[in-house]
């Protein structure tokens, strides 16, 4: 059974606590909670998204113990010893996939906006550099980023740029936090810091996700995950012996 658009919309709704996801979350959570995989983070908003992503790899035949969804799982870095990711699929010597799951809410969106940008950059740069240093000996690591921006007046309203020592790039003028994050995510992809990014806006009042940038929508994100699975399958991963 494949992961559907409805599964995605249900998982985003479950993030807001307004609807139980339809992707058999409890079954998936139990499967990846065995052995070294750890348990899905009880009561956390992103549990439904984590279970959704795990389903891709469970359906592709990856053993449950290779799929990790925990708040305490760490991957080696280059500029620091380790960094915790949110969903990790590691099989033999290959980091099949690692996902960051983040969100930004109001009412004061500016308080944490820069933090989210810096977190995403730091996580990717650190791991990519570690891969160049052969800390990841298998196939090239694959990184995904899933982001929910709360849809509210504060995130939709254009934000002024501060007057500084030098002028900012024209693209940032007259942009809201929603617009800014779309630009940021497009540049993450352009620089190949992440292999796939899904960026949506949503709210508890209207949880149906809105995808502001076509290239960052669920369709492209799920296609990229499927392509990664297909690529590794052609290389014999996971081994079906």
């Amino acid at each position: 059974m494949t992961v559907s658009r409805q599964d995605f919309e249900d998982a985003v709704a479950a993030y807001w606590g307004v609807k139980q996801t339809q992707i058999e979350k409890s079954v998936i959570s139990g499967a990846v909670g065995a052995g070294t995989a750890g348990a899905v983070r009880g009561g956390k908003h992103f549990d439904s998204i984590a279970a959704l992503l795990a389903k891709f790899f469970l359906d592709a035949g990856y053993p449950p113990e290779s799929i990790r969804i925990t708040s305490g799982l760490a991957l080696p870095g280059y500029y620091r010893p380790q960094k915790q990711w949110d969903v990790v699929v590691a099989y033999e010597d290959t980091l099949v996939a690692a996902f960051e799951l983040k969100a930004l809410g109001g009412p004061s969106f500016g308080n944490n906006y820069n933090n989210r940008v810096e977190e995403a950059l730091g996580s990717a740069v650190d791991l990519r550099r570690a891969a160049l240093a052969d800390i990841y000996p298998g196939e090239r690591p694959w990184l995904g980023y899933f982001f929910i921006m709360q849809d509210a007046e504060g995130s939709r309203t254009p934000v002024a740029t501060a007057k500084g020592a030098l002028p900012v790039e024209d693209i940032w003028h007259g942009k809201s936090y929603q617009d800014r994050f779309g630009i940021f995510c497009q540049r993450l992809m352009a620089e190949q810091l992440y292999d796939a990014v899904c960026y949506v806006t949503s709210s508890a009042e209207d949880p149906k996700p809105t995808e502001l940038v076509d290239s960052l929508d669920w369709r492209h994100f799920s296609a990229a995950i499927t392509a990664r699975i297909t690529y590794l399958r052609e290389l014999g991963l996971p081994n079906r012996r």
Side-chain angles (χ1 to χ4, degrees):
M1 185 175 179
T2 59
V3 177
S4 68
R5 170 79 190 190
Q6 190 62 54
D7 292 333
F8 158 63
E9 293 187 3
D10 288 347
V12 173
Y15 167 86
W16 296 105
V18 297
K19 186 175 181 180
Q20 174 60 40
T21 177
Q22 301 298 309
I23 60 168
E24 300 179 348
K25 174 184 159 187
S26 61
V27 175
I28 294 171
S29 300
V32 300
T36 61
V40 170
R41 299 155 296 175
K44 297 296 181 66
H45 286 176
F46 271 111
D47 282 357
S48 58
I49 306 298
L52 179 76
L53 299 176
K55 191 175 190 304
F56 280 96
F57 300 94
L58 285 172
D59 288 354
Y62 281 87
E65 62 271 17
S66 70
I67 304 169
R68 294 166 168 81
I69 306 174
T70 122
S71 59
L73 190 141
L75 289 172
Y78 183 80
Y79 299 102
R80 53 189 164 184
Q82 294 173 303
K83 192 272 176 187
Q84 292 184 1
W85 290 70
D86 295 300
V87 178
V88 169
V89 183
Y91 183 82
E92 295 181 345
D93 64 351
T94 292
L95 178 58
V96 175
F99 295 90
E100 284 273 81
L101 312 178
K102 299 296 181 185
L104 181 63
S108 182
F109 290 89
N111 285 346
N112 287 313
Y113 172 80
N114 284 337
N115 290 340
R116 295 294 176 268
V117 169
E118 290 162 10
E119 289 165 357
L121 287 172
S123 297
V125 169
D126 193 25
L127 195 146
R128 293 297 189 202
R129 185 62 183 85
L132 287 176
D134 294 328
I135 295 173
Y136 293 86
E139 296 298 317
R140 179 180 184 271
W142 188 100
L143 305 181
Y145 188 65
F146 188 100
F147 193 88
I148 299 176
M149 171 83 74
Q150 182 185 356
D151 184 33
E153 183 177 355
S155 65
R156 291 190 299 265
T157 303
V159 183
T161 57
K163 186 174 182 180
L166 294 170
V168 301
E169 191 180 0
D170 287 344
I171 194 173
W172 301 111
H173 289 299
K175 296 297 192 297
S176 66
Y177 284 115
Q178 290 189 13
D179 297 330
R180 286 184 178 188
F181 219 84
I183 295 167
F184 168 63
C185 289
Q186 287 177 290
R187 291 183 170 187
L188 287 178
M189 290 288 291
E191 296 294 324
Q192 298 182 344
L193 290 172
Y194 288 87
D195 297 284
V197 174
C198 185
Y199 167 50
V200 305
T201 63
S202 180
S203 68
E205 296 76 20
D206 184 10
K208 186 172 182 178
T210 296
E211 296 134 305
L212 300 178
V213 182
D214 288 345
S215 61
L216 305 174
D217 65 6
W218 173 253
R219 188 169 60 97
H220 285 82
F221 190 69
S222 60
I225 297 172
T226 301
R228 173 63 168 177
I229 290 170
T230 301
Y231 171 79
L232 292 179
R233 182 183 296 126
E234 291 296 315
L235 298 177
L237 300 177
N239 192 318
R240 303 301 180 89
R241 66 177 182 271

